[in-house]
Amino acid sequence: MNEELRIIISGGGTGGHIFPAVSIANAIKAKHPDAKILFVGALGRMEMQRVPAAGYEIKGLPIQGFDRKNLLKNVKVLFKIWKSQRMARQIIKDFRPMAAVGVGGYASGPTLNKAAAMGIPCLIQEQNSYAGVTNKLLAKKADKICVAYEGMDRFFPAEKIIMTGNPVRQALLENKMTKAEAIQSFGLDPQKKTILIVGGSLGAGTVNKSVMQHLDDIEKSDVQVIWQTGKYYYDNIIKELEGRVLPNVKVMDFISDMGAAYKAADLVISRAGASSISEYL
Protein backbone atom coordinates (compact mmCIF):
# COMPACT_ATOMS: atom_id res chain seq x y z
CA MET A 1 0.00 0.00 0.00
CA ASN A 2 1.21 3.49 -0.79
CA GLU A 3 -0.50 5.05 2.19
CA GLU A 4 0.11 3.88 5.74
CA LEU A 5 -2.76 1.71 7.01
CA ARG A 6 -4.23 3.04 10.26
CA ILE A 7 -6.99 1.18 12.12
CA ILE A 8 -8.79 1.81 15.40
CA ILE A 9 -10.20 -1.22 17.22
CA SER A 10 -12.55 -0.57 20.10
CA GLY A 11 -14.38 -2.58 22.74
CA GLY A 12 -13.69 -5.05 25.48
CA GLY A 13 -14.82 -5.77 29.02
CA THR A 14 -14.36 -9.54 28.79
CA GLY A 15 -12.08 -11.96 27.00
CA GLY A 16 -14.96 -12.73 24.64
CA HIS A 17 -14.54 -9.24 23.20
CA ILE A 18 -10.83 -8.68 23.80
CA PHE A 19 -9.34 -11.84 22.31
CA PRO A 20 -11.21 -11.54 18.99
CA ALA A 21 -10.13 -7.88 18.86
CA VAL A 22 -6.48 -8.82 19.33
CA SER A 23 -6.86 -11.61 16.77
CA ILE A 24 -8.19 -9.07 14.25
CA ALA A 25 -5.23 -6.80 14.97
CA ASN A 26 -2.78 -9.69 14.56
CA ALA A 27 -4.36 -10.68 11.24
CA ILE A 28 -4.05 -7.10 9.96
CA LYS A 29 -0.40 -6.96 11.04
CA ALA A 30 0.29 -10.31 9.36
CA LYS A 31 -0.87 -8.91 6.02
CA HIS A 32 0.36 -5.35 6.56
CA PRO A 33 3.33 -5.38 8.98
CA ASP A 34 3.64 -1.60 8.86
CA ALA A 35 0.00 -0.99 9.77
CA LYS A 36 -0.67 1.29 12.74
CA ILE A 37 -3.29 -0.06 15.11
CA LEU A 38 -4.74 1.75 18.11
CA PHE A 39 -7.13 0.19 20.61
CA VAL A 40 -9.71 2.18 22.53
CA GLY A 41 -11.08 0.57 25.70
CA ALA A 42 -12.83 1.38 28.95
CA LEU A 43 -10.74 2.52 31.89
CA GLY A 44 -10.55 -0.05 34.66
CA ARG A 45 -11.65 -2.91 32.43
CA MET A 46 -9.75 -6.02 31.41
CA GLU A 47 -8.62 -4.67 28.03
CA MET A 48 -6.43 -2.03 29.67
CA GLN A 49 -4.11 -4.86 30.76
CA ARG A 50 -4.57 -7.52 28.10
CA VAL A 51 -4.14 -5.33 25.03
CA PRO A 52 -0.73 -3.89 26.06
CA ALA A 53 0.32 -7.43 27.00
CA ALA A 54 -0.42 -8.39 23.40
CA GLY A 55 1.86 -5.60 22.19
CA TYR A 56 -0.64 -2.91 21.19
CA GLU A 57 -1.24 0.64 22.36
CA ILE A 58 -4.58 1.38 24.00
CA LYS A 59 -6.39 4.56 25.03
CA GLY A 60 -8.93 4.43 27.83
CA LEU A 61 -12.34 6.10 28.06
CA PRO A 62 -14.19 6.67 31.38
CA ILE A 63 -17.28 4.95 29.93
CA GLN A 64 -19.44 2.60 32.00
CA GLY A 65 -22.84 0.97 31.78
CA PHE A 66 -26.09 2.19 33.29
CA ASP A 67 -26.97 1.21 36.85
CA ARG A 68 -30.42 -0.37 36.67
CA LYS A 69 -30.72 -0.72 40.46
CA ASN A 70 -29.87 2.85 41.46
CA LEU A 71 -31.15 5.29 38.84
CA LEU A 72 -29.65 8.32 40.61
CA LYS A 73 -26.17 6.99 39.88
CA ASN A 74 -26.89 7.31 36.17
CA VAL A 75 -26.42 11.08 36.32
CA LYS A 76 -22.74 10.36 36.76
CA VAL A 77 -22.90 7.71 34.03
CA LEU A 78 -24.39 10.22 31.58
CA PHE A 79 -21.54 12.63 32.29
CA LYS A 80 -19.02 9.84 31.65
CA ILE A 81 -20.71 9.01 28.34
CA TRP A 82 -20.55 12.68 27.31
CA LYS A 83 -16.89 12.88 28.33
CA SER A 84 -16.10 9.62 26.52
CA GLN A 85 -17.68 10.96 23.33
CA ARG A 86 -15.46 14.05 23.48
CA MET A 87 -12.36 11.99 24.23
CA ALA A 88 -13.16 9.52 21.43
CA ARG A 89 -13.48 12.36 18.95
CA GLN A 90 -10.07 13.72 19.93
CA ILE A 91 -8.45 10.28 19.78
CA ILE A 92 -9.84 9.75 16.27
CA LYS A 93 -8.79 13.23 15.19
CA ASP A 94 -5.24 12.68 16.43
CA PHE A 95 -4.84 9.11 15.11
CA ARG A 96 -6.55 9.67 11.73
CA PRO A 97 -7.74 6.08 11.15
CA MET A 98 -8.83 4.79 7.76
CA ALA A 99 -11.40 2.53 9.42
CA ALA A 100 -12.80 1.74 12.86
CA VAL A 101 -13.64 -1.74 14.14
CA GLY A 102 -15.99 -2.35 17.08
CA VAL A 103 -16.09 -5.70 18.87
CA GLY A 104 -18.72 -4.93 21.50
CA GLY A 105 -18.36 -3.59 25.01
CA TYR A 106 -18.80 -0.12 26.49
CA ALA A 107 -15.94 1.68 24.72
CA SER A 108 -17.00 0.74 21.20
CA GLY A 109 -20.17 2.83 21.52
CA PRO A 110 -18.68 6.34 21.70
CA THR A 111 -15.71 5.38 19.51
CA LEU A 112 -17.70 4.09 16.55
CA ASN A 113 -20.40 6.73 16.97
CA LYS A 114 -17.82 9.46 16.58
CA ALA A 115 -15.95 7.63 13.80
CA ALA A 116 -19.14 7.28 11.77
CA ALA A 117 -20.02 10.94 12.37
CA MET A 118 -16.57 11.90 11.08
CA GLY A 119 -17.06 9.92 7.86
CA ILE A 120 -14.75 7.04 8.77
CA PRO A 121 -15.84 3.55 7.54
CA CYS A 122 -16.98 1.39 10.44
CA LEU A 123 -17.17 -2.37 10.88
CA ILE A 124 -18.57 -4.25 13.86
CA GLN A 125 -17.82 -7.84 14.80
CA GLU A 126 -20.49 -9.73 16.74
CA GLN A 127 -19.27 -12.91 18.42
CA ASN A 128 -22.59 -14.17 19.78
CA SER A 129 -25.76 -15.68 18.33
CA TYR A 130 -27.70 -13.06 20.30
CA ALA A 131 -26.36 -9.61 19.49
CA GLY A 132 -25.03 -7.41 22.28
CA VAL A 133 -26.67 -4.09 23.16
CA THR A 134 -23.81 -1.91 21.92
CA ASN A 135 -23.57 -3.64 18.56
CA LYS A 136 -27.33 -3.44 18.03
CA LEU A 137 -27.20 0.29 18.67
CA LEU A 138 -24.26 0.72 16.29
CA ALA A 139 -25.71 -1.40 13.47
CA LYS A 140 -27.31 1.52 11.59
CA LYS A 141 -24.01 3.40 11.48
CA ALA A 142 -21.81 0.44 10.58
CA ASP A 143 -20.83 -0.18 6.96
CA LYS A 144 -20.29 -3.92 7.48
CA ILE A 145 -21.21 -6.35 10.25
CA CYS A 146 -19.23 -9.57 10.67
CA VAL A 147 -21.08 -12.44 12.37
CA ALA A 148 -20.47 -16.04 13.38
CA TYR A 149 -24.01 -17.42 13.23
CA GLU A 150 -26.89 -17.69 10.79
CA GLY A 151 -30.07 -15.70 11.37
CA MET A 152 -28.38 -12.52 12.56
CA ASP A 153 -30.60 -10.49 10.24
CA ARG A 154 -33.09 -10.40 13.11
CA PHE A 155 -30.70 -7.95 14.77
CA PHE A 156 -28.87 -6.32 11.87
CA PRO A 157 -29.64 -5.09 8.33
CA ALA A 158 -29.22 -8.15 6.10
CA GLU A 159 -27.37 -6.24 3.38
CA LYS A 160 -24.57 -5.34 5.80
CA ILE A 161 -23.95 -8.82 7.20
CA ILE A 162 -20.85 -10.86 6.32
CA MET A 163 -20.57 -14.42 7.65
CA THR A 164 -16.95 -14.66 8.85
CA GLY A 165 -17.07 -16.82 11.97
CA ASN A 166 -15.29 -15.70 15.11
CA PRO A 167 -11.60 -14.71 15.11
CA VAL A 168 -9.52 -17.28 16.99
CA ARG A 169 -6.33 -16.44 18.84
CA GLN A 170 -3.34 -17.19 16.62
CA ALA A 171 -1.40 -18.56 19.59
CA LEU A 172 -3.89 -21.43 19.80
CA LEU A 173 -3.43 -22.35 16.17
CA GLU A 174 0.35 -21.98 16.16
CA ASN A 175 1.15 -23.77 19.44
CA LYS A 176 3.99 -26.25 18.82
CA MET A 177 4.29 -27.70 22.33
CA THR A 178 3.88 -31.40 22.90
CA LYS A 179 1.20 -32.50 25.34
CA ALA A 180 3.86 -33.45 27.91
CA GLU A 181 5.57 -30.05 27.58
CA ALA A 182 2.25 -28.29 27.99
CA ILE A 183 1.39 -30.21 31.15
CA GLN A 184 4.86 -29.63 32.60
CA SER A 185 4.53 -25.88 31.94
CA PHE A 186 1.80 -25.89 34.60
CA GLY A 187 3.93 -27.87 37.04
CA LEU A 188 1.81 -31.00 36.69
CA ASP A 189 2.43 -34.69 35.92
CA PRO A 190 2.50 -35.68 32.21
CA GLN A 191 1.47 -39.21 33.17
CA LYS A 192 -1.91 -38.15 34.55
CA LYS A 193 -5.13 -37.22 32.81
CA THR A 194 -5.68 -33.46 32.94
CA ILE A 195 -8.93 -31.51 33.23
CA LEU A 196 -9.08 -27.82 32.34
CA ILE A 197 -11.81 -25.86 34.17
CA VAL A 198 -12.60 -22.33 33.00
CA GLY A 199 -15.52 -19.99 33.56
CA GLY A 200 -14.48 -17.45 30.99
CA SER A 201 -11.80 -14.77 31.32
CA LEU A 202 -13.52 -13.19 34.33
CA GLY A 203 -14.51 -16.47 35.94
CA ALA A 204 -17.91 -17.88 36.86
CA GLY A 205 -19.29 -18.08 40.39
CA THR A 206 -21.29 -21.26 39.83
CA VAL A 207 -18.35 -23.09 38.25
CA ASN A 208 -15.98 -22.05 41.04
CA LYS A 209 -18.48 -22.97 43.76
CA SER A 210 -18.94 -26.40 42.24
CA VAL A 211 -15.18 -27.00 42.12
CA MET A 212 -14.79 -25.89 45.75
CA GLN A 213 -17.53 -28.29 46.83
CA HIS A 214 -15.80 -31.23 45.13
CA LEU A 215 -12.16 -30.62 46.00
CA ASP A 216 -12.12 -33.72 48.21
CA ASP A 217 -13.23 -35.84 45.25
CA ILE A 218 -10.60 -34.23 43.01
CA GLU A 219 -7.90 -34.79 45.62
CA LYS A 220 -8.76 -38.49 45.90
CA SER A 221 -8.95 -39.01 42.15
CA ASP A 222 -6.15 -39.96 39.78
CA VAL A 223 -6.67 -36.87 37.63
CA GLN A 224 -5.19 -33.38 37.84
CA VAL A 225 -6.87 -30.05 37.29
CA ILE A 226 -5.91 -26.69 35.77
CA TRP A 227 -8.43 -24.27 37.28
CA GLN A 228 -8.86 -20.72 36.02
CA THR A 229 -10.92 -18.94 38.67
CA GLY A 230 -11.12 -15.46 37.11
CA LYS A 231 -9.64 -12.44 38.87
CA TYR A 232 -12.89 -11.54 40.67
CA TYR A 233 -12.92 -14.84 42.55
CA TYR A 234 -9.23 -15.66 42.88
CA ASP A 235 -8.39 -13.91 46.17
CA ASN A 236 -11.35 -15.37 48.05
CA ILE A 237 -10.64 -18.85 46.71
CA ILE A 238 -6.98 -18.64 47.73
CA LYS A 239 -8.10 -17.61 51.23
CA GLU A 240 -10.44 -20.57 51.42
CA LEU A 241 -7.63 -22.88 50.30
CA GLU A 242 -5.15 -21.46 52.80
CA GLY A 243 -3.18 -24.23 54.49
CA ARG A 244 -4.51 -26.89 52.12
CA VAL A 245 -2.05 -28.74 49.88
CA LEU A 246 -3.48 -29.84 46.54
CA PRO A 247 -0.61 -31.14 44.39
CA ASN A 248 -2.96 -32.20 41.61
CA VAL A 249 -4.71 -28.81 41.30
CA LYS A 250 -3.15 -25.77 39.62
CA VAL A 251 -5.16 -22.67 40.62
CA MET A 252 -4.78 -19.55 38.47
CA ASP A 253 -6.71 -16.31 38.20
CA PHE A 254 -6.01 -16.07 34.47
CA ILE A 255 -4.26 -18.33 31.97
CA SER A 256 -2.22 -16.24 29.58
CA ASP A 257 -1.15 -19.20 27.44
CA MET A 258 -4.44 -20.88 26.57
CA GLY A 259 -2.70 -22.72 23.75
CA ALA A 260 -0.70 -24.65 26.35
CA ALA A 261 -3.81 -25.17 28.50
CA TYR A 262 -5.80 -26.65 25.62
CA LYS A 263 -2.84 -28.80 24.60
CA ALA A 264 -2.51 -30.12 28.16
CA ALA A 265 -6.19 -30.91 28.62
CA ASP A 266 -7.85 -34.28 28.08
CA LEU A 267 -11.19 -32.72 29.02
CA VAL A 268 -12.37 -29.10 29.16
CA ILE A 269 -15.16 -27.98 31.50
CA SER A 270 -16.24 -24.49 30.50
CA ARG A 271 -19.02 -21.98 30.23
CA ALA A 272 -20.44 -21.86 26.71
CA GLY A 273 -19.11 -18.46 25.67
CA ALA A 274 -19.20 -17.73 21.95
CA SER A 275 -15.45 -17.21 21.64
CA SER A 276 -14.72 -20.26 23.78
CA ILE A 277 -16.92 -22.47 21.61
CA SER A 278 -15.14 -21.19 18.49
CA GLU A 279 -11.78 -22.03 20.03
CA TYR A 280 -12.83 -25.52 21.09
CA LEU A 281 -14.11 -26.32 17.63
Side-chain angles (χ1 to χ4, degrees):
M1 295 180 66
N2 294 327
E3 193 175 356
E4 184 179 63
L5 182 63
R6 306 176 71 84
I7 305 290
I8 274 184
I9 302 177
S10 184
T14 69
H17 294 313
I18 298 165
F19 299 136
V22 171
S23 295
I24 291 169
N26 289 343
I28 292 170
K29 292 290 281 186
K31 288 194 172 185
H32 305 284
D34 295 329
K36 303 297 181 185
I37 298 174
L38 177 66
F39 281 76
V40 180
L43 290 170
R45 304 289 287 184
M46 183 181 175
E47 59 265 27
M48 300 308 294
Q49 294 179 330
R50 300 304 168 197
V51 169
Y56 294 101
E57 181 184 1
I58 186 168
K59 302 284 187 181
L61 304 178
I63 188 79
Q64 67 180 78
F66 285 103
D67 191 323
R68 292 180 175 84
K69 294 181 180 179
N70 189 336
L71 296 180
L72 289 176
K73 289 186 178 180
N74 289 325
V75 174
K76 188 175 181 180
V77 173
L78 288 170
F79 172 75
K80 288 186 175 182
I81 292 173
W82 174 81
K83 185 176 181 181
S84 294
Q85 295 270 9
R86 289 177 61 87
M87 291 176 65
R89 179 178 175 79
Q90 190 60 51
I91 290 169
I92 294 166
K93 187 177 179 181
D94 291 342
F95 186 68
R96 297 175 290 106
M98 294 176 176
V101 178
V103 295
Y106 297 139
S108 63
T111 305
L112 266 72
N113 266 321
K114 286 301 177 184
M118 296 166 73
I120 296 166
C122 294
L123 176 148
I124 58 177
Q125 195 270 325
E126 175 57 59
Q127 303 88 30
N128 300 291
S129 59
Y130 192 93
V133 174
T134 302
N135 279 349
K136 284 192 285 187
L137 292 172
L138 290 170
K140 289 183 180 180
K141 298 182 179 181
D143 294 276
K144 297 295 180 182
I145 302 169
C146 297
V147 302
Y149 297 94
E150 299 287 351
M152 297 303 286
D153 54 351
R154 68 189 192 275
F155 303 112
F156 306 128
E159 67 276 9
K160 295 184 179 182
I161 293 174
I162 304 174
M163 175 64 72
T164 60
N166 279 328
V168 174
R169 285 176 275 184
Q170 285 84 350
L172 305 184
L173 303 174
E174 298 168 359
N175 187 284
K176 302 295 189 212
M177 300 175 79
T178 65
K179 185 178 181 67
E181 289 171 340
I183 293 173
Q184 288 173 332
S185 72
F186 291 97
L188 297 174
D189 186 350
Q191 301 304 314
K192 289 187 175 183
K193 295 294 184 181
T194 304
I195 299 174
L196 171 63
I197 301 176
V198 291
S201 57
L202 300 180
T206 52
V207 173
N208 289 333
K209 184 177 180 181
S210 180
V211 176
M212 288 296 296
Q213 291 174 341
H214 292 88
L215 280 176
D216 289 340
D217 296 325
I218 294 172
E219 188 175 13
K220 294 173 186 176
S221 73
D222 195 35
V223 302
Q224 54 196 2
V225 172
I226 301 170
W227 177 15
Q228 179 180 280
T229 64
K231 67 175 184 178
Y232 292 148
Y233 304 97
Y234 181 76
D235 289 341
N236 286 336
I237 287 172
I238 291 300
K239 286 180 182 177
E240 290 187 51
L241 295 177
E242 191 171 354
R244 184 166 186 173
V245 179
L246 295 166
N248 61 333
V249 180
K250 177 69 173 181
V251 185
M252 307 173 72
D253 64 336
F254 180 80
I255 300 173
S256 57
D257 189 353
M258 284 303 296
Y262 290 153
K263 183 77 75 171
D266 295 286
L267 173 69
V268 179
I269 298 174
S270 169
R271 287 178 63 188
S275 293
S276 296
I277 290 172
S278 297
E279 291 180 351
Y280 301 148
L281 294 176

